Amino acid sequence: MSSSFPVEKIRNIGIIAHIDAGKTTCTERILYNTGKNYKLGNVDDGNTTTDWMAEEKARGITIVSAAITSEWKGYRLNLIDTPGHVDFTAEVERSLRVLDGGVVVFDGVAGVEAQSETVWRQANRYNVPRICFVNKMDRTGADYFRCVDMIRERLKAKPLPIMLPIGVADTFKGVLDLIEAKAYYFDQKEDTSFTTTDVPENMKSVYEENRNKLIEILAESDDDIMNAYLEGAEISNDQIRAAIRKETLTGLCYPVLCGSALKNKGVQMLLDAITYYLPCPTDMPPMKVTDPKTGEDLHVELSADEPFSALAFKVVADPYVGRLVYLRVYSGKIHAGDAVLNTTRDQKERTGRLLLMHSNRHEEIEESEAGNIIACIGLKNTLTGDTLCDINRPILLESIKFPEPVLSVAVEPKTRADRDKMIDALTKLAEEDPTFKVKYDEETGQTIISGMGELHVDVLISRLLNEFKVGANIGAPRVAYKETLKSLTKAEGKFIRQSGGRGQYGHVLVQFEPLEHGKGFEFVDMIKGGVLPKEYIKAAEAGIKDAMEAGGRSGYPVVDLRATLYDGSFHEVDSSDMAFKMAGSLALKDAFSKSSAVLLEPVMRMEVVTPEQYMGDIIGDLSSRRGQVESIENHGDTSTLHGILPLSNTFGYATDLRSMTQGRATYSMEFNQYQEVPANLAEEIRAEAAGK
């Protein structure tokens, strides 16, 4: 495969969806149809290309996003298969940050599910153009038009059906193309062959109705189509495609196709739609770029003629080739052996081998240019979100923001040899996953690892024990509580030390007030007339931040607080940055000693899909766990419950739900927000934290 490719023929796309919607199967069929694979992989058989990790094969889910490069009708597809489970949301987040377009896969039976909404919101945040693929049309209960309606109602989006199913469930045998006015009938075997015919007589009225709807929607924003429509003139297929592409790139509409990835039905049409409607790198707006020295915004064109720049969006400890860093090249060219600048860390790096990735296999290349996604060996200090660029033109690309972990577990090595192995393994895992945090607790002597949920932490521990062969004892899961102040409080921080020679003097007066949940930390400088030098004000702010991380009254991190520094004093000789840092820290402690504190807990948003007869038991169980039901939707004999539930009460929920519903209900959860813990429970949690 050539390393050089016309940029207008490149498509950087991600396959995103709710868990079990069929993303990985869809990716497998794309690889099969593009000739990259010669054998169809199956999730249930554990032989898919993208789910190559042992944990993925064992659990039948995608855990890490996998990158694959393939070609279709003269186009290069850089394809990323992402996880659907919300615990691995960082994988979706970083993939969307570097992709130009997305294919959102929906389950034809379930329609828009909880995590469909999550990934849709993530894609909205990065303005990623999307096409929709309604999968599993061969399953009993599949309903294409219901799914289209759910995209409109639940995602507040404008779906644009460009294909219709021919038959449904057992009778699903093809798709109807509203643009070409053709019917495609698939061979009943799992291969790439299909037969093309004109629109069948029994579907002509459905075809006409939906084709007219398609033209009407496009005419709303395309003057040429509007004029032709009003005059009754013929509208060419090329005109329609151009209008759909324009609508898709601007995010006004989302083309909808359908098929069955498992049976390889409709995947070839999906591939064509990717090349027709999703953007090439130059269709995307210029990247947000700043000058690292001045902070000024800069303008960088996506061109091979510009100086080199790339974003590192993923780090992997590959068992065969070592440390791999995935790069999205935004401008210029990169060659194997180039010296580059890591602007984020202000360090020079040298690239080693450059690779085109095919999941956990690879193809070596000598160079790559703007628009491509590649992997690089040899970058020792580059982490996720770092900018690499030409040494002579330092720039900083917009980084990637990740959510904070909400669940912690204590890990202790069994032997001294295991301790060294564990430190090495945890370092590698933390480099790979920005939502995985490692902290050493000085008081207990334990290593605390934190993640996004029960499954996330469980997978990390399993990798630690099995992949890295570390002998370790694992503690019980612990919820990441946080604290904040309940009311406005004025506090004083005074740090004075005199022990012969030069002393230490720092003195600040700070007003603390609570902010809305999720607002984080704000620092306001109200010092007037040079009462305190600027460097001491910065030191006091740093001291407050350090104290917030160290914890409030119960030792939990402090959040959602505004600190206003309004007065203080300093000594010409004895004052120092360190003294004012200590003073800032003491001011926060003083505030917590004067004011009542609030304990906050992570609350999860949940969705339970169940046969209707079990709904009463599920609601009763949720109430006993301090959960709240927000809404219930009915579809046939199946009901979908939406609600919220404190994370501390979710442990073991999967087992309890299974026993309540004879294994017939499914659920999904995602972090929603931090909320105040009821007073009686807060006292219990504080007492436990204090070791009483």
Side-chain angles (χ1 to χ4, degrees), residues 545-562:
K545 283 182 180 175
D546 286 351
M548 288 175 71
E549 286 178 22
R553 187 175 299 168
S554 308
Y556 294 113
V558 178
V559 294
D560 304 332
L561 208 59
R562 177 185 291 126

Side-chain angles (χ1 to χ4, degrees), residues 406-481:
V406 295
L407 191 71
S408 301
V409 168
V411 182
E412 291 179 341
K414 288 183 177 177
T415 66
R416 188 181 291 273
D418 282 323
R419 176 180 168 75
D420 294 337
K421 281 169 69 178
M422 187 176 87
I423 292 169
D424 182 54
L426 291 177
T427 302
K428 286 178 179 174
L429 289 171
E431 279 188 357
E432 286 185 18
D433 187 347
T435 57
F436 170 55
K437 304 289 184 191
V438 182
K439 189 174 77 173
Y440 184 72
D441 191 323
E442 296 283 352
E443 290 182 17
T444 63
Q446 291 177 316
T447 299
I448 309 296
I449 62 172
S450 307
M452 295 305 298
E454 207 169 358
L455 179 61
H456 187 204
V457 172
D458 187 34
V459 166
L460 288 164
I461 289 168
S462 187
R463 289 188 65 192
L464 185 71
L465 302 178
N466 302 322
E467 189 179 320
F468 292 96
K469 310 295 183 197
V470 175
N473 297 315
I474 312 299
R478 299 192 304 188
V479 174
Y481 294 104

Side-chain angles (χ1 to χ4, degrees), residues 616-630:
D617 292 338
I618 290 169
I619 292 172
D621 179 67
L622 276 181
S623 298
S624 71
R625 294 172 183 264
R626 295 194 291 128
Q628 293 175 26
V629 177
E630 293 184 327

Side-chain angles (χ1 to χ4, degrees), residues 35 45 57 65 90 156 160 200 206 311 327 339 368 399 536 599 644:
D45 296 339
K57 290 181 179 180
S65 53
K156 305 293 184 283
L160 194 67
V206 177
L311 186 77
L327 302 175
S368 187
S399 191
Y536 295 160
L599 202 62
I644 56 173

Side-chain angles (χ1 to χ4, degrees), residues 154-291:
R154 286 186 66 169
L155 301 179
K156 305 293 184 283
K158 189 186 276 189
L160 194 67
I162 58 173
M163 285 197 176
L164 303 180
I166 301 174
V168 70
D170 293 342
T171 63
F172 176 65
K173 55 190 174 184
V175 293
L176 195 63
D177 188 330
L178 294 178
I179 300 167
E180 292 284 348
K182 297 290 181 186
Y184 306 118
Y185 291 94
F186 303 106
D187 194 299
Q188 292 310 301
K189 299 171 187 171
E190 293 181 7
D191 62 15
T192 58
S193 59
F194 59 89
T195 306
T196 305
T197 69
D198 292 330
V199 178
E201 284 297 325
N202 64 342
M203 290 193 74
K204 279 197 170 167
S205 60
V206 177
Y207 163 77
E208 291 292 344
E209 180 190 344
N210 283 278
R211 164 124 174 158
N212 287 336
K213 280 183 187 175
L214 173 65
I215 301 294
E216 284 169 15
I217 292 171
L218 294 176
E220 289 173 12
S221 54
D222 190 290
D223 292 341
D224 291 340
I225 289 183
M226 170 66 84
N227 294 334
Y229 180 68
L230 292 174
E231 293 167 10
E234 190 174 331
I235 302 168
S236 72
N237 294 348
D238 288 342
Q239 271 183 293
I240 294 172
R241 282 206 190 91
I244 293 172
R245 179 175 171 78
K246 189 173 78 175
E247 297 280 282
T248 306
L249 296 190
T250 54
L252 293 174
C253 289
Y254 302 93
V256 186
L257 299 89
C258 60
S260 166
L262 184 65
K263 301 287 175 61
N264 202 27
K265 295 178 179 179
V267 179
Q268 301 94 326
M269 294 80 216
L270 174 62
L271 279 162
D272 286 337
I274 288 169
T275 63
Y276 288 146
Y277 309 122
L278 290 182
C280 72
T282 50
D283 288 324
M284 303 304 289
M287 282 298 303
K288 285 184 182 177
V289 176
T290 53
D291 186 316

Side-chain angles (χ1 to χ4, degrees), residues 16 101-104 120 123-124 127-132 248 253-255 278:
I16 54 177
V103 176
V104 188
W120 194 271
N124 283 345
N127 298 315
V128 176
R130 279 146 276 171
I131 57 178
C132 304
T248 306
C253 289
Y254 302 93
L278 290 182

